[in-house]
Amino acid sequence: MPVAPAGTALAGGADGPRALRPLLDTVLDALTSGAQDRSGPLPPGGPDTVARAVRDACLPLLPEEGTGPHTALRTLVHTLAAGAADPADPHCAAHLHCPPLALATAADLAASALNPSMDSWDQAPAASELETLTARALAALVYPEADAPDALVTTGGTESNQLALLLAREAHRTTEPTGSTGPLRIVCGANAHHSIHRAAWLLGLPEPLTLPTPDGTLDPATVHTCLAELTGRSGCTGRVLLTATAGTTDAGAIDPLPALADLADHHGARLHIDASYGGPLLFSDTHRATLTGLARAHTVTLDLHKLGWQPVAAGLLAVPGAATLTPLAHQADYLNPDDDTEAGLPDLLGRSLRTTRRPDILKIAVTLKALGRQGLGDLVDRTLAAARTLADLIDAHPRYELHSRPTLTTVLFRPTGADDTTLATIRRSLLAEGHAVLGRATTPTGLWLKTTLLNPHTQPGDLTTLLKLVEGHTPR
């Protein structure tokens, strides 16, 4: 076979690894030099400075004659690394933006090189079976008593929540008595992720009934009153979808899942639990009881590119049985013709609303196999312990106010007496200097600085330094 021109060699086939090896050396060198140039959690200077650096280094991006593969890789990867928000830095703690495991990242490289497309068996023979096995193993964590739990692989919590609402809508359509058709009504808390409202809009459903959550979680008494009115008015089981949250974006709070499951049962409502953030507590012997009641939901959202240390994307929607997924069945002659399916070729189209899909399950499967439940549980335990250490440091500090003890790994705090304008200025100053990446959360008691700890290797000294950085930007 003739040698491919520089930059045009393929990643697959017997010669693919040989072509990749020198390119990977260039990538790794560029990642190293970029991180050294950045030397912190965020590039200093703010948006204009970063944009100018990218333009200066990378333009033109479509030259008449190419620079060659190593120069292009070195330039663009270095630029991206130097201008990155690095979630592996312990002072990058604003969002549910995890530092991925090197193990999972290496597996993701293999997925990219092999490039299975998860929409038909003949494009992904082994990957389709691996996805089935891994998805079922994770679903069994959520539904340990179910006979045949299953899960769909998604791009994250937003897609999983949309699928959950879609399945609830279709289940409602099949159970609503003839002549009494009415839309599915969604009930959620003000603490619910914005994707619940967005999914209702995309699916043509009425705006969700949003109940107040002044203490950060749904109040069972308020939910009972709402469900009683809705189900009493409709007199129809399954017309209402109650959505609960196991790990809110703002504070990491967990709704009272057992009480909400009782109410859903009592009123004949369907229950969905968004456990995008808190779901990985299932790996932990120490903390899994916090999710008691999860298995009573009709659908559960998981997201392992949060507290699961996977590269984006790594979402799932778990269900207690495959029959729940029947509404997703779809047929396209060029992908899953009936005679192929009858002959035993697996049908993958009903596994997603997407057609072409990456084999995102590979990195997850490698992580599960390498670390096991206990290894992942240990990472969860360490990260939650770091959040409690940070809360202790804030509680003991004379110039800081702690919002509440953390449930997961989110800690809200603020300098005592600081108003909203001061807090916003502190956060943006730290961003502009590249010293720390902190989030913000608005609660009934005002604006707070938010730290979302996802690095399991964070040390107490890292947290002390973070507080000193905030203190150094607080007006006296």
Side-chain angles (χ1 to χ4, degrees), residues 79-474:
T79 302
L80 196 66
D86 181 9
D89 189 295
H91 297 153
C92 187
H95 303 288
L96 286 163
H97 176 203
C98 79
L101 297 171
L103 171 74
T105 305
D108 214 27
L109 167 65
S112 292
L114 294 168
N115 207 31
S117 183
M118 306 296 292
D119 50 316
S120 67
W121 182 87
D122 57 354
Q123 298 176 84
S128 61
E129 181 65 14
L130 183 64
E131 180 176 273
T132 297
L133 296 173
T134 308
R136 288 175 179 171
L138 288 167
L141 273 181
V142 179
Y143 297 105
E145 303 299 324
D147 290 334
D150 202 353
L152 301 179
V153 178
T154 70
T155 53
T158 293
E159 184 186 350
S160 294
N161 286 339
Q162 183 180 350
L163 278 171
L165 266 63
L166 172 64
L167 292 172
R169 185 191 72 180
E170 296 308 296
H172 166 58
R173 285 178 173 175
T174 61
T175 58
E176 185 80 355
T178 303
S180 60
T181 301
L184 176 76
R185 297 309 308 269
I186 300 161
V187 175
C188 66
N191 63 347
H193 193 260
H194 66 83
S195 60
I196 299 297
H197 292 261
R198 201 171 195 187
W201 167 67
L202 286 168
L203 294 169
L205 296 170
E207 177 72 14
L209 292 170
T210 304
L211 304 180
T213 53
D215 295 326
T217 58
L218 279 166
D219 172 43
T222 304
V223 173
H224 170 69
T225 300
C226 178
L227 294 183
E229 180 179 351
L230 286 174
T231 57
R233 185 189 305 159
S234 67
C236 184
T237 297
R239 189 187 170 192
V240 177
L241 173 67
L242 174 61
T243 296
T245 306
T248 60
T249 304
D250 273 348
I254 296 177
D255 285 330
L257 304 182
L260 296 178
D262 288 343
L263 288 170
D265 286 346
H266 178 74
H267 292 287
R270 190 177 175 96
L271 177 63
H272 169 62
I273 298 177
D274 179 359
S276 296
Y277 184 6
L281 267 62
L282 291 171
F283 295 121
S284 167
D285 290 332
T286 304
H287 297 290
R288 65 188 309 161
T290 307
L291 296 180
T292 298
L294 193 71
R296 297 174 63 186
H298 292 80
T299 48
V300 173
T301 289
L302 302 174
D303 197 345
L304 297 180
H305 60 244
K306 292 181 171 61
L307 199 59
W309 302 285
Q310 299 298 297
V312 173
L316 297 109
L317 180 70
V319 296
T324 305
L325 306 176
T326 300
L328 298 178
H330 188 69
Q331 200 269 329
D333 283 343
Y334 77 105
L335 291 174
N336 61 343
D338 290 339
D339 57 323
D340 273 1
T341 303
E342 291 166 4
L345 296 187
D347 177 0
L348 305 186
L349 274 188
R351 304 291 301 176
S352 178
L353 290 179
R354 294 172 286 148
T355 304
T356 303
R357 292 191 293 121
R358 293 185 79 247
D360 286 316
I361 203 66
L362 176 60
K363 61 200 174 194
I364 299 172
V366 167
T367 302
L368 299 179
K369 183 78 171 175
L371 300 184
R373 186 185 62 79
Q374 291 185 356
L376 279 163
D378 178 63
L379 294 181
V380 170
D381 293 348
R382 281 198 260 163
T383 311
L384 266 66
R388 284 154 176 72
T389 297
L390 177 59
D392 291 340
L393 291 171
I394 293 167
D395 237 354
H397 198 290
R399 300 191 65 221
Y400 285 133
E401 178 185 359
L402 179 68
H403 176 271
S404 56
R405 300 296 301 179
T407 302
L408 295 176
T409 67
T410 299
V411 182
L412 304 184
F413 73 103
R414 61 190 176 194
T416 304
D419 59 21
D420 290 359
T421 299
T422 299
L423 286 177
T425 300
I426 291 171
R427 176 178 172 272
R428 285 194 291 269
S429 296
L430 290 168
L431 289 175
E433 295 169 2
H435 289 160
V437 188
L438 295 177
R440 53 188 288 168
T442 302
T443 77
T445 55
L447 186 67
W448 298 79
L449 294 174
K450 178 175 73 169
T451 58
T452 307
L453 303 182
L454 293 178
N455 185 337
H457 306 303
T458 297
Q459 298 298 308
D462 299 321
L463 303 174
T464 300
T465 300
L466 181 62
L467 293 180
K468 287 180 179 178
L469 287 168
V470 174
E471 188 175 6
H473 288 76
T474 303

Side-chain angles (χ1 to χ4, degrees), residues 36-57:
Q36 289 169 346
D37 279 2
R38 186 185 63 247
S39 69
L42 196 76
D48 290 342
T49 299
V50 173
R52 185 166 54 252
V54 173
R55 290 194 299 267
D56 290 346

